Amino acid sequence: MRVLAFLFALLVALPLNANEIVGALSQNRVSLTANFTGSEILVYGAIRRDAAEVLAQGTVHEQSPFDVVVVIEGPRETAVVWRKARRAGIWVNVDSVTLASVPSYYAVATTNPLAQIITPETDAEHRISAQQTIRVAAGDDSVEDASIYTQALLRLRERSSAYLTLTRFVHVDRDILFRARVQLPASLTEGAYTTRLYLVRDGEVLNQFRTAIFVRKDGLERWLHQLAYDRPFIYGFLALAIALVAGWGASALFRLIRNG
Amino acid sequence: MLIYLPIAEVSTNAFTLLGVGGGVGILSGMFGVGGGFLITPLLFFFGIPPAVAVATGANQVVASSISGVLAHLRRKTVDLKMGTVLLIGGLIGSTGGIFVFRWLSELGQVDLFVQLAYVLFLGTVGTLMLQEALRSWYRTTKPHKGRRKLHKHTWVHALPFKTKFRVSGLYISILPPLMIGIAVGVLSAVMGVGGGFIMVPAMIYMLGMPTKVVVGTSLFQIIFVTAYTTVAHAVTSHSVDVMLAFFLIIGGVIGAQVGTQIGLKLKAEQLRVLLALLVIAVCVKVALDLLIEPSELYSIRIPGRH
């Protein structure tokens, strides 16, 4: 909340004659319940254009159009990437690389292909594409070339649709309004999903805006998960009780049905 | 209908789970086995993390054994003294198994270990069962050639700490049943099975127990050991998923009723050959996954999650 307030203050304080981007989300809260099958988030907003530029419109000096990049990043976690190799005839995990901080979900939605609208330097500076966000844990030098492992992580996450590149998913209207629809998958990690909006022109980031989506388990799921981790003894006995009642009850019911 | 499993942390179709439970239930009803050895590998194939599959498998065995245990207790076909000795062994074995399981999951090798355990035990047991079943099938088609000796003296009878097991009519050392119990306890913890497929033949051939008390006594041991294993896995690795277990149990109980009816229509010898082939098929499937080069050599694991 403090961060948001700070950003807001920053926005207000910005000089009027700069290009600005402001955005909002169709929802800031996602609840993971038993029948959660994914959720579609609408990201929308407006571009406030430089006053001088508006005045200059129509003259000889035409500016190139804006591009917008929307990045939704799931909570970061440590990930271990294992490699299999054949040992004594069978395929087993032989070595691994620990990646200290990897987003559990990462979607990049753009107006045009990312490589065409930003320079590699800008990408590295703002950590926009998924490759830029992954770092190998310090001190992990168990394998020679860790980049193979980060590439494998990107490949696996892209295949499971946890990392998405959504080219031309952001629509800009008359250089002022923009919107994008991003699909969140059914299997989400709990936590804050930071959403960054970048206003881009000529390969450079002109302005950015941040907000967040909060994903949490809800209802029965939340209760069971908490019980399992906070009171594992009670949870274990609950699991037993359910098994005994369901196992005995169902067969007693069948006996009743069969006997008329 | 997609449901979110709170511990496995994956979304799965509820009907798939009911189907898996039901299919295994049919087979377990037909053959009179717990079905843990089928459910756990099937859950691997459906993308449930192995640690969750094993722990939840143990929970499911509790449900599928309870009505059998009650029926045998009513009919007094349980040797409670023998059952208690097997149970003490089972608790020791399960505790050891849980520690090994935890240590291996920290090393990142638990999947391999569980798969190897499945190949080894299902391969051995399946082959022995097939041999025995084919031999007895052959015997039923031929006229009788003498009978088995009622009482054989083996190394089992030479061990110390002998005691009387009245219901089984045995006077043997407590060491062999204790060892059998330990072995079954380890299997329960690392494979998520009841272990009846090891214990029943061991009770008949090693201990020489009469067949009429074997099933009831083994079920008595199984239900307590799997109950203990369930709670122990829940406490040490938080890997029991009650949502997953619930759907498997419901499917399993319904399937078992259907399976029992099918089982009544088939001959015992045919059933045993079929069961042996089924055990070998599961073994081959798990073994092929280890032997064939996987299409993806890399995998991601999140520490602290399953």
Side-chain angles (χ1 to χ4, degrees):
Chain A
M1 223 39 231
R2 200 179 299 162
V3 176
L4 281 176
F6 171 73
L7 280 172
F8 185 72
L10 197 72
L11 271 174
V12 171
L14 273 174
L16 261 175
N17 55 351
N19 293 305
E20 254 184 61
I21 186 168
V22 278
L25 304 166
S26 56
Q27 57 186 111
N28 282 94
R29 221 165 263 287
V30 173
S31 298
L32 298 175
T33 51
N35 46 15
F36 180 74
T37 52
S39 177
E40 195 184 59
I41 300 283
L42 174 68
V43 184
Y44 60 94
I47 301 159
R48 185 152 75 183
R49 300 172 69 195
D50 191 334
E53 197 179 293
V54 176
L55 288 175
Q57 205 166 34
T59 61
V60 210
H61 207 72
E62 189 76 40
Q63 288 270 22
S64 46
F66 290 120
D67 276 301
V68 174
V69 179
V70 175
V71 177
I72 301 182
E73 180 183 316
R76 288 179 166 270
E77 57 203 2
T78 303
V80 183
V81 181
W82 282 92
R83 185 178 65 89
K84 278 199 169 82
R86 197 193 282 270
R87 289 284 182 277
I90 57 170
W91 290 90
V92 296
N93 285 334
V94 286
D95 42 35
S96 66
V97 164
T98 303
L99 304 172
S101 171
V102 171
S104 58
Y105 171 83
Y106 205 81
V108 181
T110 54
T111 40
N112 283 299
L114 194 65
Q116 291 174 19
I117 58 177
I118 57 166
T119 60
E121 294 75 40
T122 310
D123 188 6
E125 188 194 334
H126 293 275
R127 298 189 184 280
I128 292 174
S129 61
Q131 291 93 291
Q132 296 295 341
T133 67
I134 296 163
R135 271 148 287 157
V136 177
D140 193 334
D141 45 17
S142 53
V143 290
E144 276 173 31
D145 190 4
S147 72
I148 299 172
Y149 292 79
T150 55
Q151 290 307 316
L153 179 113
L154 288 170
R155 186 173 67 239
L156 288 165
R157 288 270 161 102
E158 269 161 29
R159 201 180 300 153
S160 64
S161 299
Y163 286 10
L164 304 166
T165 306
L166 306 165
T167 304
R168 293 190 227 287
F169 266 60
V170 183
H171 303 281
V172 179
D173 239 7
R174 280 168 288 159
D175 256 6
I176 299 174
L177 298 173
F178 69 88
R179 71 197 140 81
R181 288 177 190 283
V182 180
Q183 185 71 37
L184 295 181
S187 46
L188 284 178
T189 308
E190 263 191 313
Y193 285 61
T194 56
T195 305
R196 283 135 46 200
L197 309 176
Y198 295 96
L199 183 64
V200 173
R201 185 157 65 188
D202 302 326
E204 304 286 329
V205 170
L206 301 178
N207 189 232
Q208 57 171 302
F209 182 83
R210 276 168 183 264
T211 179
I213 308 163
F214 296 93
V215 175
R216 53 175 260 171
K217 290 191 172 85
D218 224 339
L220 186 60
E221 266 49 40
R222 180 175 185 76
W223 186 75
L224 285 175
H225 190 86
Q226 281 188 338
L227 192 67
Y229 282 86
D230 299 343
R231 306 206 186 291
F233 251 111
I234 296 176
Y235 180 87
F237 281 104
L238 174 77
L240 275 189
I242 292 173
L244 290 175
V245 170
W248 177 80
S251 60
L253 190 72
F254 268 102
R255 217 175 304 132
L256 265 179
I257 294 168
R258 212 177 308 135
N259 295 342
Chain B
M1 190 181 79
L2 273 181
I3 53 152
Y4 181 78
L5 303 173
I7 302 300
E9 303 200 31
V10 290
S11 290
T12 324
N13 194 316
F15 296 111
T16 311
L17 294 180
L18 283 175
V20 170
V24 173
I26 289 177
L27 296 170
S28 67
M30 269 169 73
F31 302 124
V33 292
F37 73 94
L38 291 172
I39 272 201
T40 311
L42 271 173
L43 291 179
F44 301 169
F45 306 149
F46 283 102
I48 306 291
V52 177
V54 167
T56 309
N59 194 18
Q60 187 271 341
V61 175
V62 174
S64 63
S65 318
I66 178 67
S67 56
V69 172
L70 293 178
H72 281 283
L73 282 173
R74 263 196 306 270
R75 272 183 257 147
K76 297 199 165 47
T77 46
V78 179
D79 184 338
L80 285 175
K81 189 172 177 185
M82 180 65 88
T84 308
V85 174
L86 288 166
L87 176 56
I88 292 167
L91 298 182
I92 297 168
S94 171
T95 308
I98 297 256
F99 276 106
V100 172
F101 196 82
R102 232 188 128 183
W103 175 63
L104 284 163
S105 45
E106 276 158 21
L107 289 181
Q109 299 295 2
V110 76
D111 305 20
L112 172 73
F113 178 67
V114 172
Q115 282 171 312
L116 282 178
Y118 266 95
V119 172
L120 187 69
F121 282 99
L122 296 184
T124 314
V125 172
T127 313
L128 290 176
M129 269 163 69
L130 189 64
Q131 263 182 1
E132 168 66 23
L134 286 176
R135 206 177 296 139
S136 68
W137 195 1
Y138 179 76
R139 228 182 277 134
T140 53
T141 55
K142 295 270 164 184
H144 262 288
K145 281 190 204 155
R147 21 190 315 199
R148 223 157 42 113
K149 259 199 279 180
L150 263 179
H151 189 81
K152 272 190 288 192
H153 253 277
T154 59
W155 59 272
V156 169
H157 297 92
L159 293 168
F161 310 115
K162 284 196 174 189
T163 182
K164 213 170 244 156
F165 293 100
R166 212 175 290 279
V167 183
S168 304
L170 290 174
Y171 180 65
I172 55 166
S173 158
I174 63 161
L175 292 178
L178 201 63
M179 296 311 286
I180 294 171
I182 290 175
V184 170
V186 173
L187 294 185
S188 150
V190 302
M191 292 169 73
V193 297
F197 64 96
I198 295 273
M199 193 159 32
V200 169
M203 287 159 98
I204 296 173
Y205 300 115
M206 273 176 67
L207 307 181
M209 279 173 70
T211 32
K212 74 172 201 302
V213 294
V214 163
V215 175
T217 309
S218 74
L219 278 174
F220 172 82
Q221 192 258 14
I222 285 169
I223 197 158
F224 284 105
V225 172
T226 50
Y228 172 78
T229 306
T230 304
V231 177
H233 271 304
V235 171
T236 58
S237 58
H238 315 285
S239 51
V240 179
D241 197 313
V242 291
M243 197 72 101
L244 175 61
F246 181 76
F247 284 99
L248 293 176
I249 290 167
I250 296 300
V253 174
I254 297 168
Q257 302 294 327
V258 179
T260 314
Q261 301 304 313
I262 300 174
L264 291 175
K265 296 199 174 73
L266 291 171
K267 282 204 188 95
E269 291 77 25
Q270 293 170 335
L271 273 178
R272 283 160 69 188
V273 173
L274 283 178
L275 178 61
L277 291 176
L278 184 72
V279 170
I280 291 170
V282 176
C283 165
V284 168
K285 168 71 183 125
V286 179
L288 284 180
D289 287 346
L290 287 172
L291 292 170
I292 295 173
E293 179 170 358
S295 56
E296 176 60 78
L297 292 179
Y298 294 86
S299 59
I300 305 171
R301 201 146 321 168
I302 309 297
R305 272 202 268 149
H306 309 296

